[in-house]
Amino acid sequence: MKLYRLLTGPDDASFCHKVSEALSNGWELHGDPAYGYNNETGHMRCAQAVIKHVSGKTYSPDMKLSEQ
């Protein structure tokens, strides 16, 4: 089974740590990161897609992807 997640967060170290944690748990980068400006808060936001191949499990919409 192949899983997909879109990680999002502020353009700061916390976002880098979120992506680093996913990579250390076996997720792989999928495509380029994206950035956008939030007019309401005045801050940049980041997004990075990640994928992971998991054997021996069947996808369910109830699964918590961050725990796979």
Side-chain angles (χ1 to χ4, degrees), residues 25-59:
N25 287 324
W27 293 84
E28 299 175 21
L29 299 176
H30 183 71
D32 294 328
Y35 300 93
Y37 183 74
N38 183 327
N39 285 325
E40 292 180 19
T41 64
H43 295 102
M44 292 294 292
R45 301 281 298 170
C46 301
Q48 174 65 59
V50 293
I51 59 172
K52 185 175 187 179
H53 298 274
V54 178
S55 301
K57 292 189 179 182
T58 302
Y59 173 76

Side-chain angles (χ1 to χ4, degrees), residues 5 7 16-29 50 52 68:
R5 292 173 63 195
L7 305 175
C16 295
H17 286 287
K18 184 185 290 190
V19 174
S20 295
E21 179 181 22
L23 295 174
S24 71
N25 287 324
W27 293 84
E28 299 175 21
L29 299 176
V50 293
K52 185 175 187 179
Q68 299 303 312

